[in-house]
Amino acid sequence: MAYSGRFRAGDRVQLTDAKRRHFTITLTPGESFFTHKGGISHDDIIGQHEGTVVQSHLGGEYLCFRHLLVDHVLSMPRGAAVIYPKDAAQIIVEGDIFPGARVLEAGAGSGAMSMWLLRAVGETGRLISYEVREDHIGYARDNVVEQTGGQPANWDLRLGDLRDVTPEDVGEIDRVVLDMLEPWECLGTVRDVLIPGGVFMTYVATVPQLMKVMEGIRELGCFTEPRAWESLVREWKVEGLATRPEHRMNAHTAFLVWARRLADGTVAPKPQRRARK
């Protein structure tokens, strides 16, 4: 799929009607998409610019744009819950995922975070993704291939348990991202494969998980003092004097935990709190 320019055959296009309902089609010459307001010929869209309006044969109007990656992530088939865009953005930025980075991910789930990581590391980087469930492996592979148009050469998707992984299996790793039920059980592996200064991030949904992974990081003594936070996103309705926050919002999805690998043998200064007056 092209990312810009005029629409081409094979592009995934999102059609939006006046009620902001979305319909996604893959452009195929000679085909038509049928709605309650009549059919839309794919040939009427192919060759047009993004941001144009196409009409169905009954007069319905639909705004046409290519699928963004965020649209694909939120609409693709899932074997496991996905890391939502607001949290994926935090992982990419706070995790400092850079072009050329060597990133280790577990678990791959439905492939949502894999797509963001592959885009961030670029063609010169490498992503190794572990997943313990074979059915989830299938979802992840299919979703990534559908988005990228083929199996990325720098993506190594593996069926296996991260607890069994050794440095010889993956080599030196710049960044580690975990999204699993019990990430504290894999902290030894993270310690062994992550280079000094490397960033470790994990995504956990509940307070007990958060407490256990924070305590586990501290007990190992080879990471900086971990940070934990959550991100909340609330849209606004802006219509003149009716401007106000939306009643619904994307509130808690998960906690994010961040730490960096210390050099071997280093003992970090203990965090000190201000004395109470």
Side-chain angles (χ1 to χ4, degrees), residues 186-203:
C186 298
L187 293 177
T189 300
V190 176
R191 173 198 60 204
D192 294 341
V193 303
L194 192 59
I195 65 171
V199 179
F200 164 50
M201 292 197 67
T202 188
Y203 175 97

PDB file of all heavy atoms in Angstrom, residues 186-203:
ATOM      1  N   CYS A 186      10.471 -12.469  33.903  1.00  0.00           N
ATOM      2  CA  CYS A 186      11.428 -12.358  32.794  1.00  0.00           C
ATOM      3  C   CYS A 186      12.506 -11.311  33.052  1.00  0.00           C
ATOM      4  O   CYS A 186      13.300 -11.004  32.148  1.00  0.00           O
ATOM      5  CB  CYS A 186      10.685 -12.002  31.505  1.00  0.00           C
ATOM      6  SG  CYS A 186       9.493 -13.258  30.988  1.00  0.00           S
ATOM      7  N   LEU A 187      12.558 -10.774  34.265  1.00  0.00           N
ATOM      8  CA  LEU A 187      13.519  -9.700  34.541  1.00  0.00           C
ATOM      9  C   LEU A 187      14.961 -10.186  34.435  1.00  0.00           C
ATOM     10  O   LEU A 187      15.856  -9.423  34.053  1.00  0.00           O
ATOM     11  CB  LEU A 187      13.257  -9.107  35.934  1.00  0.00           C
ATOM     12  CG  LEU A 187      11.931  -8.343  36.075  1.00  0.00           C
ATOM     13  CD1 LEU A 187      11.758  -7.862  37.509  1.00  0.00           C
ATOM     14  CD2 LEU A 187      11.866  -7.173  35.106  1.00  0.00           C
ATOM     15  N   GLY A 188      15.203 -11.448  34.765  1.00  0.00           N
ATOM     16  CA  GLY A 188      16.555 -11.990  34.633  1.00  0.00           C
ATOM     17  C   GLY A 188      17.008 -11.997  33.178  1.00  0.00           C
ATOM     18  O   GLY A 188      18.159 -11.671  32.874  1.00  0.00           O
ATOM     19  N   THR A 189      16.093 -12.366  32.280  1.00  0.00           N
ATOM     20  CA  THR A 189      16.423 -12.347  30.858  1.00  0.00           C
ATOM     21  C   THR A 189      16.699 -10.924  30.388  1.00  0.00           C
ATOM     22  O   THR A 189      17.661 -10.672  29.643  1.00  0.00           O
ATOM     23  CB  THR A 189      15.274 -12.946  30.026  1.00  0.00           C
ATOM     24  OG1 THR A 189      15.044 -14.297  30.442  1.00  0.00           O
ATOM     25  CG2 THR A 189      15.601 -12.914  28.548  1.00  0.00           C
ATOM     26  N   VAL A 190      15.862  -9.988  30.827  1.00  0.00           N
ATOM     27  CA  VAL A 190      16.066  -8.583  30.449  1.00  0.00           C
ATOM     28  C   VAL A 190      17.440  -8.109  30.902  1.00  0.00           C
ATOM     29  O   VAL A 190      18.180  -7.466  30.153  1.00  0.00           O
ATOM     30  CB  VAL A 190      14.958  -7.694  31.047  1.00  0.00           C
ATOM     31  CG1 VAL A 190      15.227  -6.219  30.737  1.00  0.00           C
ATOM     32  CG2 VAL A 190      13.580  -8.099  30.499  1.00  0.00           C
ATOM     33  N   ARG A 191      17.806  -8.444  32.118  1.00  0.00           N
ATOM     34  CA  ARG A 191      19.128  -8.061  32.653  1.00  0.00           C
ATOM     35  C   ARG A 191      20.248  -8.626  31.794  1.00  0.00           C
ATOM     36  O   ARG A 191      21.229  -7.928  31.503  1.00  0.00           O
ATOM     37  CB  ARG A 191      19.252  -8.589  34.087  1.00  0.00           C
ATOM     38  CG  ARG A 191      20.632  -8.416  34.710  1.00  0.00           C
ATOM     39  CD  ARG A 191      20.770  -9.348  35.904  1.00  0.00           C
ATOM     40  NE  ARG A 191      20.616 -10.747  35.491  1.00  0.00           N
ATOM     41  CZ  ARG A 191      20.232 -11.728  36.317  1.00  0.00           C
ATOM     42  NH1 ARG A 191      19.975 -11.480  37.580  1.00  0.00           N
ATOM     43  NH2 ARG A 191      20.115 -12.981  35.857  1.00  0.00           N
ATOM     44  N   ASP A 192      20.098  -9.862  31.356  1.00  0.00           N
ATOM     45  CA  ASP A 192      21.189 -10.538  30.652  1.00  0.00           C
ATOM     46  C   ASP A 192      21.380 -10.050  29.213  1.00  0.00           C
ATOM     47  O   ASP A 192      22.504 -10.068  28.702  1.00  0.00           O
ATOM     48  CB  ASP A 192      20.943 -12.050  30.639  1.00  0.00           C
ATOM     49  CG  ASP A 192      21.005 -12.658  32.031  1.00  0.00           C
ATOM     50  OD1 ASP A 192      21.586 -12.012  32.933  1.00  0.00           O
ATOM     51  OD2 ASP A 192      20.471 -13.768  32.218  1.00  0.00           O
ATOM     52  N   VAL A 193      20.287  -9.626  28.560  1.00  0.00           N
ATOM     53  CA  VAL A 193      20.401  -9.278  27.137  1.00  0.00           C
ATOM     54  C   VAL A 193      20.512  -7.781  26.883  1.00  0.00           C
ATOM     55  O   VAL A 193      20.989  -7.361  25.820  1.00  0.00           O
ATOM     56  CB  VAL A 193      19.201  -9.833  26.334  1.00  0.00           C
ATOM     57  CG1 VAL A 193      19.101 -11.342  26.507  1.00  0.00           C
ATOM     58  CG2 VAL A 193      17.890  -9.158  26.718  1.00  0.00           C
ATOM     59  N   LEU A 194      20.098  -6.956  27.840  1.00  0.00           N
ATOM     60  CA  LEU A 194      20.065  -5.510  27.618  1.00  0.00           C
ATOM     61  C   LEU A 194      21.442  -4.899  27.854  1.00  0.00           C
ATOM     62  O   LEU A 194      22.095  -5.180  28.865  1.00  0.00           O
ATOM     63  CB  LEU A 194      19.037  -4.876  28.564  1.00  0.00           C
ATOM     64  CG  LEU A 194      18.637  -3.421  28.301  1.00  0.00           C
ATOM     65  CD1 LEU A 194      18.036  -3.254  26.913  1.00  0.00           C
ATOM     66  CD2 LEU A 194      17.643  -2.960  29.368  1.00  0.00           C
ATOM     67  N   ILE A 195      21.887  -4.061  26.922  1.00  0.00           N
ATOM     68  CA  ILE A 195      23.202  -3.440  27.051  1.00  0.00           C
ATOM     69  C   ILE A 195      23.183  -2.384  28.158  1.00  0.00           C
ATOM     70  O   ILE A 195      22.123  -1.851  28.491  1.00  0.00           O
ATOM     71  CB  ILE A 195      23.654  -2.783  25.724  1.00  0.00           C
ATOM     72  CG1 ILE A 195      22.737  -1.612  25.367  1.00  0.00           C
ATOM     73  CG2 ILE A 195      23.707  -3.804  24.606  1.00  0.00           C
ATOM     74  CD1 ILE A 195      23.232  -0.777  24.201  1.00  0.00           C
ATOM     75  N   PRO A 196      24.333  -2.049  28.764  1.00  0.00           N
ATOM     76  CA  PRO A 196      24.381  -0.956  29.737  1.00  0.00           C
ATOM     77  C   PRO A 196      23.850   0.335  29.117  1.00  0.00           C
ATOM     78  O   PRO A 196      24.222   0.711  28.004  1.00  0.00           O
ATOM     79  CB  PRO A 196      25.871  -0.847  30.070  1.00  0.00           C
ATOM     80  CG  PRO A 196      26.413  -2.217  29.803  1.00  0.00           C
ATOM     81  CD  PRO A 196      25.638  -2.721  28.618  1.00  0.00           C
ATOM     82  N   GLY A 197      22.950   0.980  29.812  1.00  0.00           N
ATOM     83  CA  GLY A 197      22.310   2.183  29.290  1.00  0.00           C
ATOM     84  C   GLY A 197      21.049   1.907  28.509  1.00  0.00           C
ATOM     85  O   GLY A 197      20.296   2.833  28.182  1.00  0.00           O
ATOM     86  N   GLY A 198      20.794   0.633  28.191  1.00  0.00           N
ATOM     87  CA  GLY A 198      19.594   0.275  27.442  1.00  0.00           C
ATOM     88  C   GLY A 198      18.338   0.547  28.241  1.00  0.00           C
ATOM     89  O   GLY A 198      18.338   0.548  29.477  1.00  0.00           O
ATOM     90  N   VAL A 199      17.242   0.760  27.547  1.00  0.00           N
ATOM     91  CA  VAL A 199      15.964   1.114  28.175  1.00  0.00           C
ATOM     92  C   VAL A 199      15.051  -0.108  28.203  1.00  0.00           C
ATOM     93  O   VAL A 199      14.917  -0.824  27.207  1.00  0.00           O
ATOM     94  CB  VAL A 199      15.279   2.266  27.426  1.00  0.00           C
ATOM     95  CG1 VAL A 199      13.939   2.604  28.078  1.00  0.00           C
ATOM     96  CG2 VAL A 199      16.170   3.498  27.403  1.00  0.00           C
ATOM     97  N   PHE A 200      14.428  -0.311  29.346  1.00  0.00           N
ATOM     98  CA  PHE A 200      13.468  -1.391  29.548  1.00  0.00           C
ATOM     99  C   PHE A 200      12.115  -0.778  29.881  1.00  0.00           C
ATOM    100  O   PHE A 200      12.004   0.061  30.766  1.00  0.00           O
ATOM    101  CB  PHE A 200      13.943  -2.302  30.692  1.00  0.00           C
ATOM    102  CG  PHE A 200      12.890  -3.220  31.242  1.00  0.00           C
ATOM    103  CD1 PHE A 200      12.129  -4.013  30.403  1.00  0.00           C
ATOM    104  CD2 PHE A 200      12.670  -3.308  32.616  1.00  0.00           C
ATOM    105  CE1 PHE A 200      11.162  -4.870  30.913  1.00  0.00           C
ATOM    106  CE2 PHE A 200      11.714  -4.163  33.137  1.00  0.00           C
ATOM    107  CZ  PHE A 200      10.958  -4.938  32.285  1.00  0.00           C
ATOM    108  N   MET A 201      11.069  -1.198  29.136  1.00  0.00           N
ATOM    109  CA  MET A 201       9.712  -0.745  29.428  1.00  0.00           C
ATOM    110  C   MET A 201       8.768  -1.929  29.462  1.00  0.00           C
ATOM    111  O   MET A 201       8.916  -2.873  28.679  1.00  0.00           O
ATOM    112  CB  MET A 201       9.233   0.269  28.389  1.00  0.00           C
ATOM    113  CG  MET A 201       9.973   1.592  28.441  1.00  0.00           C
ATOM    114  SD  MET A 201       9.125   2.921  27.578  1.00  0.00           S
ATOM    115  CE  MET A 201       7.664   3.135  28.618  1.00  0.00           C
ATOM    116  N   THR A 202       7.813  -1.863  30.378  1.00  0.00           N
ATOM    117  CA  THR A 202       6.805  -2.911  30.441  1.00  0.00           C
ATOM    118  C   THR A 202       5.438  -2.290  30.633  1.00  0.00           C
ATOM    119  O   THR A 202       5.298  -1.189  31.172  1.00  0.00           O
ATOM    120  CB  THR A 202       7.112  -3.928  31.559  1.00  0.00           C
ATOM    121  OG1 THR A 202       6.200  -5.029  31.470  1.00  0.00           O
ATOM    122  CG2 THR A 202       6.984  -3.302  32.924  1.00  0.00           C
ATOM    123  N   TYR A 203       4.437  -3.029  30.171  1.00  0.00           N
ATOM    124  CA  TYR A 203       3.054  -2.571  30.107  1.00  0.00           C
ATOM    125  C   TYR A 203       2.221  -3.547  30.930  1.00  0.00           C
ATOM    126  O   TYR A 203       2.157  -4.738  30.597  1.00  0.00           O
ATOM    127  CB  TYR A 203       2.644  -2.564  28.639  1.00  0.00           C
ATOM    128  CG  TYR A 203       1.220  -2.244  28.279  1.00  0.00           C
ATOM    129  CD1 TYR A 203       0.860  -0.959  27.893  1.00  0.00           C
ATOM    130  CD2 TYR A 203       0.248  -3.235  28.227  1.00  0.00           C
ATOM    131  CE1 TYR A 203      -0.442  -0.666  27.485  1.00  0.00           C
ATOM    132  CE2 TYR A 203      -1.049  -2.958  27.829  1.00  0.00           C
ATOM    133  CZ  TYR A 203      -1.394  -1.664  27.458  1.00  0.00           C
ATOM    134  OH  TYR A 203      -2.674  -1.381  27.048  1.00  0.00           O
TER     135      TYR A 203
END
